[in-house]
Structure formats: C-alpha cells, structure tokens
Amino acid sequence: MVLRFVQGRCFMKLVTIKDVAKEAGVSISVVSYVLNNNPNVSITDKTRSKVLDAAKKLNYKPNSIARSMRTKKTMMICLATFWDVSDSVFTDVLKGVDNIAEENQYSVIYCNIKDHTTSQKIIDLYKQRQIDGVILLLHVDPMENFDEADFIRHIKQNHVPAVIINGRTEDLELNYVYIDYYSSTYTAVRFLYRLGHRRMCYVLPDKHEVSTNQAIQRKKGYKDAVNDFGLAESDLFFDNESLVKHIDLFKADRKPSAVIVNKTAYATSLLRTFAENQIKVPEDISVIACNDQSTADYLTPALTTVRIPIYEIGETSAGILFELLKGNSSIIKQKLSNEVVERKSHRKI
C-alpha cells in the first residue's frame, strides 16, 4: 500500500500493477510478463531486476482473484494427509511444499484425510476450481477404513493432477516421491563400516511397531548391508527389553562395536541402559539412529543419526506437481538420498 494525502487527510491506496510500471519505468505489459514469469516473452535481466525491485519497494501484492480469472487457475494447491499436523514429518513436508508454491506464486491449503471418502472432497475442490492439484502425503502402512487403491482410482478418474508421497500403491500412471526407509539403515551400516566397525547389532522398535512396513524395510536394509559388506557376525537383533537381558554381551571380548537403532525415539532408553551399566558411548560402543529428530541434539551424548530429507521430499513433490500443471506428462518415481548427521555418539575404530 502507499499513503496518499487529500485535503490534509491520509488515505491508504492499494498498489497496482500501474504503480509498479511507473516506478520501474516500463510498460504495464512488461511488468505482467515479469511477475507472471511468462516463458514465451524474452525480458532482459536488467529490466527484470528493475521490475522486481520496484514491486518490492512498493510492497506490491498481486490481486489473486483477478489473476485467477485471467489465467483460469485457482493459484492454490492442496496438501492432503493422515499425518498429525504436529508431527515433524508433516510440518517439514509442508514447509518444502510451501516454499515451491511461493516460488510459483501459489498458496497451499490443508486437507485432513479421514478415510477413503475424502477423495470426493478433493475432487469437489478441484471441480469447484478451488485447487489446481493435490499432493497426497500417505502412510506406507495400511490405515483403518482407508482403501488407498480405491482412493487413488477416484482421483485419477476425475483427472485431478496429483503427486503421492509414500503410500502403499505403485500406480504406473501417477508420480511418487518415496521416504526411503530401506536406505536409512543401509546408510548407517555403510557409515560405520567406513569407520572400521565390523561387528554391529540392531535394536528393533517395540512390539506395537515391529511389524510395520517402515520397520520391516529398515530391518531389510540393515540385513542387506550386513551381507553386502561381509559382516555375517553382525546379524544380531534386539529390542530395548531383550537388550537389557543380554547386556553382558556388550561387555564381552567379542562385543559389538556399534548399535544401530530403528529410530531416534528408541535411542533414549538405549543410552540410559548403557549408562546404568557403565557402558560408555562412544568410547565402548557407537550408537546411530535411522531417523533424525530435534531431540537427538539433546541426548547424552548428542546422537548421530541418518537424516531422511523430508523437507526436500516436500519440495520435490511440489516441483513435480507444478510440472504437471504446466503440461509435463512425464511419470516420475523418485527416492531422495539419506545422509548421516554426525554428532557425538560414534567414533572411528
């Protein structure tokens, strides 16, 4: 907005595209081309900078309703999910999606998936021109009252542009970005192997989680890595309860030199168990967890983890969706690489 004084009184006036054009010393059409990032018009970098600087100086905000009518687009995409909004996976995905949406001058709305009938809500939003497309953040494990295949079938039948994060289906006609649980443990083994560790063990999640698909994929990644690196003696599995019963194993001559934990949440009790039994981390044994949470920094010692790039997964899925909206029909199935976050709970042998 700009301030205008009339007869001694101050009024606020909305900044228009005309104001930006006047400030930049260019035509209104040039401003429109720049702000809409029109790929069919060649604009010099100097002119583009002048327009963007003018828009920033005047704090210009495009009229989303007018733009929607002009472009026949809603300028909105939907992020639909089962995940709790307080969960770091949801919040990190949302941040990534929102970043790419903002770059494309779009906004993001949230839709809570309760069961398979929610697909109709998304379809209605699309048909009523309230959204241009949807990103579906789904679980890799089956959910009660939710038929993922049926849900996706309805989305496809109504031609809603969609990208799926995770999920249990592998529809050949849809784009997927996966959370790579398998690679999280494989990466952990490889990291420890390169540090000289040759005897490892794996701490499974508790009974309520041990049979989930993400836990199974993590266990398979560990077992495959152990085999690939020739660490046959490392085929040792515990949970926190059984680990207490076998604590003497970690004091024996041929004790494991490293422990890989399914998730950061389970590392807290593991570190406490080691401390209570005078087993020092990392002097006596290294510990690494196969996901990264903010609590890892505050454990004693600070926990080395494998970071799954959730924020980047949000960005990637949004980028794929915007390519769909531009008419790119390529089908993409993508997994992003996990990386080790080195803290204080590991050491080189």
Side-chain angles (χ1 to χ4, degrees), residues 17 32 36 62-73:
I17 195 172
S32 177
N36 289 302
N63 186 320
S64 58
I65 296 176
R67 186 180 180 202
S68 176
M69 293 175 64
R70 183 175 65 255
T71 63
K72 297 183 179 180
K73 295 181 178 179

Side-chain angles (χ1 to χ4, degrees), residues 75-80 90 93-102 105-111 131 135 318 322:
M75 311 312 295
M76 302 283 287
I77 59 173
C78 176
L79 175 60
F90 170 78
V93 166
L94 176 59
K95 289 174 184 176
V97 169
D98 188 59
N99 181 50
I100 301 302
E102 186 176 5
Q105 300 181 20
Y106 265 69
S107 297
V108 183
I109 64 172
Y110 162 69
C111 179
I131 61 171
I135 295 171
F322 282 112

Side-chain angles (χ1 to χ4, degrees), residues 253-306:
D253 290 338
R254 287 185 54 76
K255 65 184 180 182
S257 64
V259 180
I260 297 173
V261 188
N262 182 262
K263 290 197 294 188
T264 296
Y266 296 107
T268 304
S269 57
L270 173 69
L271 293 175
R272 183 172 60 248
T273 297
F274 282 155
E276 290 171 350
N277 287 274
Q278 291 74 53
I279 298 171
K280 297 179 180 179
V281 178
E283 293 84 353
D284 297 328
I285 192 163
S286 293
V287 177
I288 183 170
C290 293
N291 76 335
D292 188 49
Q293 294 176 259
S294 58
T295 53
D297 276 316
Y298 303 103
L299 297 176
T300 305
L303 184 66
T304 297
T305 61
V306 176

Side-chain angles (χ1 to χ4, degrees), residues 74-276:
T74 69
M75 311 312 295
M76 302 283 287
I77 59 173
C78 176
L79 175 60
T81 185
F82 277 110
W83 291 80
D84 189 296
V85 294
S86 64
D87 192 291
S88 61
V89 171
F90 170 78
T91 55
D92 285 352
V93 166
L94 176 59
K95 289 174 184 176
V97 169
D98 188 59
N99 181 50
I100 301 302
E102 186 176 5
E103 288 181 4
N104 288 272
Q105 300 181 20
Y106 265 69
S107 297
V108 183
I109 64 172
Y110 162 69
C111 179
N112 179 29
I113 299 176
K114 294 183 178 179
D115 53 42
H116 64 276
T117 62
T118 305
S119 62
Q120 189 58 49
K121 180 179 179 181
I122 294 170
I123 292 164
D124 289 344
L125 287 171
Y126 180 69
K127 287 186 173 181
Q128 293 166 9
R129 298 193 66 250
Q130 297 184 53
I131 61 171
D132 290 332
V134 62
I135 295 171
L136 303 170
L137 173 58
L138 304 179
H139 284 288
V140 72
D141 288 290
M143 301 295 295
E144 187 177 354
N145 299 323
F146 181 67
D147 184 336
E148 182 176 316
D150 186 61
F151 182 95
I152 289 173
R153 182 173 59 81
H154 280 95
I155 296 292
K156 282 176 55 180
Q157 285 178 342
N158 287 273
H159 309 290
V160 182
V163 178
I164 300 167
I165 299 176
N166 241 21
R168 303 181 66 242
T169 57
E170 293 186 8
D171 193 297
L172 298 177
E173 298 176 348
L174 291 177
N175 295 279
Y176 285 79
V177 182
Y178 297 98
I179 296 175
D180 196 350
Y181 298 111
Y182 173 92
S183 174
S184 65
T185 45
Y186 198 103
T187 298
V189 173
R190 182 175 58 215
F191 172 73
L192 292 168
Y193 181 84
R194 290 173 176 173
L195 292 178
H197 294 270
R198 296 295 182 267
R199 186 169 171 81
M200 308 173 197
C201 67
Y202 188 75
V203 176
L204 297 162
D206 292 340
K207 293 178 181 179
H208 75 281
E209 193 178 358
V210 72
S211 298
T212 61
N213 284 328
Q214 62 87 5
I216 291 170
Q217 289 178 23
R218 282 191 167 110
K219 183 178 178 181
K220 187 176 189 306
Y222 172 79
K223 293 180 71 174
D224 285 353
V226 162
N227 291 331
D228 289 350
F229 290 104
L231 309 176
E233 293 183 353
S234 296
D235 199 13
L236 301 171
F237 297 91
F238 303 92
D239 56 23
N240 279 324
E241 183 179 339
S242 63
L243 183 133
V244 174
K245 297 177 182 178
H246 295 87
I247 197 66
D248 288 343
L249 172 68
F250 297 92
K251 300 177 182 180
D253 290 338
R254 287 185 54 76
K255 65 184 180 182
S257 64
V259 180
I260 297 173
V261 188
N262 182 262
K263 290 197 294 188
T264 296
Y266 296 107
T268 304
S269 57
L270 173 69
L271 293 175
R272 183 172 60 248
T273 297
F274 282 155
E276 290 171 350

